[in-house]
Amino acid sequence: MNENHLRSQNQASHAELLMRSGNTADAYNLYAVAAAEEEKALHAIDPTRRPRTWGILAVSVVSLFYKGTHYAEAERRALQFLNRNEIPDFARVQLKELLAVVWEGQDFRSAGIQYAGEGITISLRGREIGAGTAPIDLVLDKITGVNSLIFRVAEWLGRHPLRRHGPPPPEIREICQPWMTQPQVGSYRFGVRLVQSLQGELIPRQSFGTTEIADSLLSIVRAVAPQLPGTSGQEDIVSIVPDRDYRNTMLKLVRNMVPDGQRLKEVEFATVRANVSTRVVLFENARLSITETLRASLPTDAFADVITGTLRAVHLDKKWIEVLTDAGISQRCEITADVLDDVIGPMVNRRVIVRGKWSTSKHKIRVSDIELGTSAKGK
Amino acid sequence: MNDFGKKGPPVRANRSLPELDRLHERHPGLSQAVCRCYAEAACVCMSRHHIPPAEIEISRNENTPVTRVLRWQPPSTTIGNAWKNADDATRDGAYSVSIATAESELSLVAISRAETRTGADYYLNSPGSTDLESAYRLEVSGLDRGGQSDISRRVREKIEQAQNGQSNLPAIVSVVGFKAKYIRMESVPE
């Protein structure tokens, strides 16, 4: 391997370490220098005689420009290389993926935001899921759920008081804005990218960033989802989120995303960094685990009574909901400030299980917990 | 021939894996700074579950597993705090241990590193070779906890991924289980 490539790889290694230490400006410059060296190495290779080597270095050149946020340079090279007939298939695929993120980076830059480099991939698997296709209601549910959970995690990391109503505060939206990526082939898979406003660099830095948000989200899901025995990294949810109100909110948001076991069997969350993926899978049995964890945080008789039916109306300010029960009765239920709009909102017009305690008169049930129902069974 | 189809010097006769913080002396694809960074991560990962030295079981394709001793310095509190992101430490520690294992068991060294969209790939070949064309791309994964069956499952997933679609082959998949003290390496056929 020629001297230019050796220089490039050392410069790229150094740039990576600068990024890790937070010295992003110097890292970006060094990535661009490394890209130029790698390009010289590439020009010394005959693609007809060493196609694999050529493909590897071509991808490396574009990657280095991309990592240095030199988007125009990355775009120009990627298009140039893709125009070559000799390019091996693996390199073609990788260059097209790079071009997509380069264009994204250019779009974000003109919109005044920057891609923070963090993403969470959500994969859905089940009887009704095809390769790259899925029922709209299932997909929208999960997108809404992930969006809500991301903002709650960011607020918790930022030590904001638990938001009882309304959208997340502006400073949280500045730090991270979940953006959907297009679905990918194989099961049904979509990505959520965490981006942050360029304006965010002008305000005092938060003690956390998009990496911490993504990692915390996965830790929380992993902690409540019974995994296969001995799976890595499972911690107790109470130690991850000691604040009871935040913990219960996040548990309920995760529970909203648990598959029903019929239409949908698995929901997988994954992050990928440096080719290593961290994954956690939600199966149907997570629902019981989460419900038991919620129950443990409440008085012993809080789950004494149960009704099931369709959630027909919600009034958060007047603190009531109305459930059309399986017996055909419109039952008004009393709720507390613990019932939050991003948890209950997705449940309207859907089957629910309400747990609580009947009033002495048996006219009203005071709600301790409400979850999406998956079958006729109440408990 | 070793079972990856390459001629090389005999597998190391002694029972230790190479020192993780000195791999750069023989692996041109690993800079000194990155080598030490990865080695530090491996120390943090191993110290979560074990005290040094530890015996590591290594399984390659269908061969009988072998045992090698891994030695490391327990990390200071400062170093432990610097690696507070468990996933980063597991990833980087797995790189260190995998590259050491490739040297020890396959007589292959990391000859080069090349950038990708999400990180970098390391390429393995015989010591002294500079040829990327025939080099093995190293696919690494780390598991902090979990047993041998979890590691084997991860290996199967990585091989499936590498075989689907247009992948950069040949490749070697290496999954490192830190608590399990188990490494599984498999080649991905072209």
Side-chain angles (χ1 to χ4, degrees):
Chain A
M1 187 44 54
N2 66 45
E3 289 297 320
N4 296 109
H5 175 67
L6 288 173
R7 267 198 291 277
S8 173
Q9 79 178 15
N10 285 339
Q11 286 155 351
S13 300
H14 190 192
E16 180 186 318
L17 296 175
L18 286 172
M19 284 295 283
R20 287 171 188 236
S21 64
N23 198 340
T24 49
D26 287 347
Y28 290 158
N29 289 336
L30 196 50
Y31 272 128
V33 172
E37 285 288 346
E38 192 80 301
E39 196 167 16
K40 289 180 194 164
L42 177 68
H43 288 326
I45 306 291
D46 181 349
T48 57
R49 298 180 68 176
R50 298 172 69 195
R52 186 182 181 220
T53 305
W54 192 91
I56 289 167
L57 294 189
V59 169
S60 189
V61 168
V62 178
S63 300
L64 286 163
F65 276 123
Y66 165 66
K67 287 176 181 177
T69 67
H70 285 64
Y71 298 133
E73 299 301 325
E75 177 192 42
R76 193 160 66 83
R77 267 61 167 199
L79 291 169
Q80 207 177 306
F81 299 153
L82 282 167
N83 210 25
R84 302 284 299 247
N85 289 333
E86 312 90 346
I87 187 172
D89 289 341
F90 77 84
R92 185 176 298 281
V93 168
Q94 290 180 40
L95 285 171
K96 283 159 109 174
E97 287 172 358
L98 272 162
L99 204 44
V101 294
V102 163
W103 283 336
E104 224 171 68
Q106 288 174 322
D107 289 343
F108 285 173
R109 184 173 273 167
S110 10
I113 54 180
Q114 66 186 10
Y115 168 45
E118 280 302 329
I120 301 169
T121 302
I122 293 99
S123 303
L124 310 181
R125 299 185 191 101
R127 200 177 59 193
E128 292 195 10
I129 310 298
T133 62
I136 288 178
D137 59 322
L138 273 181
V139 173
L140 285 176
D141 251 1
K142 304 309 167 232
I143 291 171
T144 307
V146 167
N147 196 55
S148 299
L149 192 55
I150 285 172
F151 281 127
R152 290 289 183 180
V153 169
E155 288 166 317
W156 166 64
L157 286 169
R159 300 186 198 282
H160 290 250
L162 182 71
R163 171 172 45 94
R164 299 278 174 193
H165 55 82
E171 57 269 30
I172 291 295
R173 291 202 300 276
E174 286 287 314
I175 292 165
C176 103
Q177 300 165 37
W179 280 60
M180 269 277 296
T181 63
Q182 65 188 19
Q184 299 155 41
V185 174
S187 64
Y188 185 89
R189 189 179 297 162
F190 61 90
V192 176
R193 297 267 176 88
L194 302 183
V195 300
Q196 64 191 67
S197 168
L198 286 170
Q199 290 299 314
E201 294 173 349
L202 300 177
I203 62 173
R205 288 176 76 86
Q206 298 278 339
S207 60
F208 66 95
T210 49
T211 302
E212 285 75 18
I213 295 171
D215 289 347
S216 297
L217 190 149
L218 251 68
S219 297
I220 289 162
V221 176
R222 185 182 295 119
V224 300
Q227 298 290 305
L228 298 167
T231 311
S232 63
Q234 203 155 1
E235 272 182 78
D236 175 47
I237 183 64
V238 176
S239 59
I240 298 173
V241 190
D243 181 288
R244 189 201 82 132
D245 290 342
Y246 259 114
R247 183 171 67 246
N248 285 354
T249 299
M250 291 186 209
L251 283 171
K252 290 170 188 174
L253 287 172
V254 174
R255 188 172 57 179
N256 278 358
M257 289 189 279
V258 170
D260 61 3
Q262 292 153 27
R263 300 173 78 197
L264 189 62
K265 291 268 188 218
E266 297 177 16
V267 178
E268 180 190 273
F269 298 77
T271 59
V272 179
R273 287 184 206 132
N275 291 338
V276 177
S277 67
T278 304
R279 300 178 189 184
V280 59
V281 183
L282 275 181
F283 299 97
E284 185 192 2
N285 59 4
R287 187 179 304 279
L288 184 60
S289 163
I290 292 170
T291 300
E292 289 304 308
T293 305
L294 287 166
R295 189 201 293 255
S297 69
L298 295 170
T300 46
D301 63 350
F303 280 26
D305 302 304
V306 179
I307 62 169
T308 57
T310 305
L311 180 64
R312 296 292 295 159
V314 175
H315 202 311
L316 294 174
D317 293 333
K318 293 189 177 170
K319 300 209 178 346
W320 57 259
I321 62 173
E322 197 161 285
V323 175
L324 180 63
T325 68
D326 291 339
I329 299 166
S330 280
Q331 178 63 55
R332 189 160 282 202
C333 311
E334 194 181 294
I335 59 174
T336 65
D338 284 346
V339 176
L340 304 174
D341 47 9
D342 50 352
V343 173
I344 202 165
M347 298 185 190
V348 173
N349 272 337
R350 296 176 67 179
R351 186 170 178 74
V352 294
I353 303 168
V354 176
R355 297 183 183 88
K357 200 161 172 346
W358 283 107
S359 61
T360 318
S361 62
K362 300 287 183 189
H363 285 148
K364 249 195 244 178
I365 186 166
R366 187 179 171 85
V367 178
S368 300
D369 182 37
I370 178 169
E371 66 167 299
L372 286 165
T374 55
S375 68
K377 291 186 200 167
K379 299 244 181 202
Chain B
M1 293 282 225
N2 67 26
D3 52 326
F4 283 77
K6 290 200 177 292
K7 222 175 209 176
V11 170
R12 293 166 66 91
N14 68 34
R15 295 186 64 239
S16 287
L17 282 176
E19 291 174 62
L20 300 183
D21 60 354
R22 296 181 64 178
L23 292 174
H24 64 282
E25 293 172 359
R26 297 173 302 284
H27 296 254
L30 209 51
S31 71
Q32 181 176 0
V34 170
C35 173
R36 294 214 164 132
C37 181
Y38 288 175
E40 207 173 81
C43 294
V44 167
C45 292
M46 287 302 293
S47 291
R48 284 181 197 143
H49 309 289
H50 313 290
I51 53 173
E55 288 205 333
I56 309 287
E57 186 175 319
I58 299 172
S59 167
R60 292 182 291 144
N61 288 354
E62 300 304 320
N63 293 352
T64 305
V66 298
T67 303
R68 299 284 179 250
V69 174
L70 178 64
R71 299 174 205 281
W72 73 94
Q73 288 292 328
S76 63
T77 310
T78 309
I79 289 175
N81 288 341
W83 287 98
K84 64 180 186 240
N85 185 303
D87 290 341
D88 284 350
T90 304
R91 174 201 67 212
D92 290 350
Y95 268 116
S96 185
V97 175
S98 295
I99 290 172
T101 304
E103 177 186 335
S104 168
E105 305 310 311
L106 307 177
S107 305
L108 298 175
V109 298
I111 63 161
S112 185
R113 163 190 166 127
E115 301 299 306
T116 63
R117 179 173 62 91
T118 52
D121 280 339
Y122 287 94
Y123 289 86
L124 306 177
N125 213 329
S126 303
S129 168
T130 55
D131 179 33
L132 266 184
E133 204 67 20
S134 59
Y136 292 97
R137 184 173 57 85
L138 182 61
E139 272 268 8
V140 169
S141 188
L143 281 179
D144 181 44
R145 299 183 195 188
Q148 290 192 7
S149 58
D150 301 301
I151 292 163
S152 297
R153 187 182 316 112
R154 179 71 65 89
V155 168
R156 283 196 299 276
E157 285 168 8
K158 296 291 263 180
I159 290 176
E160 241 177 66
Q161 259 173 38
Q163 285 178 324
N164 284 339
Q166 298 92 344
S167 196
N168 178 0
L169 299 174
I172 291 172
V173 167
S174 171
V175 178
V176 178
F178 287 101
K179 184 172 184 185
K181 292 186 290 178
Y182 181 67
I183 300 167
R184 182 105 186 223
M185 274 196 165
E186 302 258 346
S187 55
V188 183
E190 287 185 82

